[in-house]
């Protein structure tokens, strides 16, 4: 049987979340400290721990079949690589930042400036949309220090919380793109490997649905069940079970965690009582 090869970042912000989502998919990975390759014991999968910046080329060359990678890196180095699933974690922005003392009004103020970045292709593409040219200084690591040492007038880098910019007396002035972790596939996968990819994608989607949803059950007067049904974004229809107390039923459904409190308030207004909310481990449709 062929083995699906998946690349993940060997260290850094993506590593732990990537391993966790595979484990949540029921895949047991036998990895030790500082291992660069590990096999799953219960799924035809081999994990390669690679430098983040190398992953797009490994996909293009077909060395790996699949990767969990930030889509900002695919924009920079992996044009044409297919994204089969957004994963919802490791969210960040690729932004332009300037010294706090810089008087900024519009992107036109950046024309001709020296910009330090690890994303030269992304920067060129962005400024070309405005018909502007900039002087790119490509560096890796510690980009935010460049204006302080006179290497550049501005930077383009990943921004998460903004604390690093603040510590280096910089301010964010333009967002070039928003990024998150994605599941990306090589253009050179075989039909047999594609079957493994489809199976893994199915499991990941079940995990992501569960992460974004909550199971809810409540006691509802029978004459209010229709009103509750209009509030709840049910999968197919409400589950309704009669209670021992006449005229009441237990109503079960699933709600989106992002709208949880708004939904709860509406349910209370129409007469729902004893509302319980539980996490969902997996959600298979």
């Amino acid at each position: 049987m062929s083995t699906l090869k998946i690349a993940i970042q060997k260290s850094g912000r993506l590593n732990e979340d990537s391993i966790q989502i595979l484990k949540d998919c029921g895949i047991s990975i036998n990895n030790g400290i500082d291992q660069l390759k590990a096999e799953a014991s219960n799924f035809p999968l081999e994990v390669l721990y690679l430098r983040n910046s190398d992953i797009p080329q490994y996909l293009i060359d077909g060395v790996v079949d699949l990767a969990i990678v930030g889509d900002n890196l695919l924009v920079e180095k992996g044009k044409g690589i297919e994204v089969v699933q957004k994963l919802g974690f490791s969210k960040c922005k690729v932004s332009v930042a300037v010294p706090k003392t810089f008087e900024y009004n519009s992107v036109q103020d950046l024309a001709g400036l020296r910009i330090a970045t690890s994303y030269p292709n992304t920067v060129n593409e962005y400024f070309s949309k405005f018909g502007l040219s900039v002087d790119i200084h490509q560096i890796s690591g510690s980009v935010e220090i460049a204006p302080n040492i006179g290497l550049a007038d501005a930077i383009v880098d990943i921004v998460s919380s903004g604390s690093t910019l603040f510590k280096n007396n910089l301010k964010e002035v333009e967002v070039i793109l928003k990024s998150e972790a994605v599941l990306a596939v090589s253009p050179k996968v075989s039909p047999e490997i594609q079957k493994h990819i489809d199976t893994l994608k199915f499991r990941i989607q079940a995990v992501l649905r569960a992460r974004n949803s909550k199971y809810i059950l409540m006691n509802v007067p029978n004459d209010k069940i229709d009103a509750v049904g209009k509030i709840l974004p049910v999968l197919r229809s409400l589950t309704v079970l009669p209670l021992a107390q006449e005229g009441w039923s237990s109503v079960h459904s699933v709600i989106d965690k992002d709208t949880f409190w708004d939904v709860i308030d509406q349910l209370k207004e129409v007469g729902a009582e004893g509302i319980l909310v539980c996490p969902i481990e997996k959600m298979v449709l």
Side-chain angles (χ1 to χ4, degrees):
M1 179 184 290
S2 58
T3 300
L4 172 63
K5 295 181 179 179
I6 184 169
I8 67 173
Q9 184 176 320
K10 69 178 180 180
S11 61
R13 62 192 181 88
L14 266 176
N15 176 268
E16 290 183 7
D17 286 337
S18 300
I19 293 172
Q20 186 60 53
I21 198 166
L22 293 176
K23 289 182 177 179
D24 288 346
C25 288
I27 297 173
S28 180
I29 303 167
N30 301 316
N31 62 303
I33 298 174
D34 296 330
Q35 259 187 283
L36 298 181
K37 187 169 69 171
E39 292 185 359
S41 60
N42 59 350
F43 192 85
L45 181 98
E46 185 176 73
V47 179
L48 278 69
Y49 299 95
L50 304 174
R51 278 202 322 174
N52 201 36
S53 58
D54 293 338
I55 290 177
Q57 193 61 51
Y58 277 74
L59 284 168
I60 292 168
D61 293 342
V63 176
V64 296
D65 307 302
L66 206 60
I68 297 176
V69 63
D71 57 357
N72 60 295
L73 199 58
L74 297 182
V75 170
E76 177 64 25
K77 294 186 173 185
K79 291 288 188 181
I81 293 176
E82 182 185 3
V83 171
V84 295
Q85 182 66 52
K86 293 192 173 187
L87 300 176
F89 56 81
S90 294
K91 292 184 178 182
C92 65
K93 298 173 288 184
V94 177
S95 299
V96 183
V98 298
K100 291 180 180 178
T101 55
F102 189 99
E103 292 187 12
Y104 184 83
N105 298 298
S106 74
V107 69
Q108 305 295 329
D109 294 335
L110 302 171
L113 295 187
R114 299 170 300 160
I115 296 183
T117 186
S118 302
Y119 300 92
N121 296 327
T122 302
V123 172
N124 271 325
E125 186 174 329
Y126 177 74
F127 283 101
S128 66
K129 292 191 301 185
F130 299 96
L132 302 176
S133 62
V134 293
D135 182 12
I136 295 176
H137 290 246
Q138 184 175 353
I139 59 177
S140 58
S142 302
V143 173
E144 62 278 351
I145 200 174
N148 292 330
I149 61 176
L151 179 64
D153 305 302
I155 68 167
V156 172
D157 201 16
I158 288 177
V159 176
S160 295
S161 65
S163 61
T164 302
L165 295 183
F166 180 80
K167 291 175 184 176
N168 286 274
N169 293 311
L170 300 173
K171 61 183 179 182
E172 181 184 38
V173 293
E174 293 287 339
V175 176
I176 292 180
L177 62 89
K178 293 182 178 180
S179 176
E180 65 182 276
V182 298
L183 191 68
V185 63
S186 168
K188 297 184 177 182
V189 298
S190 67
E192 188 175 2
I193 289 296
Q194 185 61 50
K195 291 180 181 178
H196 296 327
I197 291 174
D198 292 341
T199 299
L200 180 59
K201 179 183 173 184
F202 176 80
R203 293 190 186 188
I204 286 175
Q205 288 175 338
V207 170
L208 294 178
R209 287 191 204 101
R211 288 182 179 181
N212 294 325
S213 304
K214 298 288 185 182
Y215 188 78
I216 184 169
L217 56 156
M218 70 209 79
N219 298 330
V220 180
N222 288 344
D223 60 353
K224 299 295 184 181
I225 291 176
D226 287 343
V228 167
K230 292 176 181 178
I231 296 170
L232 292 172
V234 296
L235 299 176
R236 188 178 296 272
S237 66
L238 295 175
T239 299
V240 180
L241 303 172
L243 293 178
Q245 182 177 345
E246 188 175 346
W248 284 77
S249 294
S250 176
V251 176
H252 301 220
S253 189
V254 172
I255 60 173
D256 190 289
K257 70 173 187 179
D258 293 332
T259 59
F260 166 76
W261 286 113
D262 289 338
V263 171
I264 294 297
D265 290 341
Q266 294 176 58
L267 291 171
K268 287 172 64 65
E269 286 178 6
V270 299
E273 297 180 3
I275 301 172
L276 299 179
V277 180
C278 308
I280 302 173
E281 185 174 335
K282 305 289 186 298
M283 193 165 146
V284 180
L285 299 182

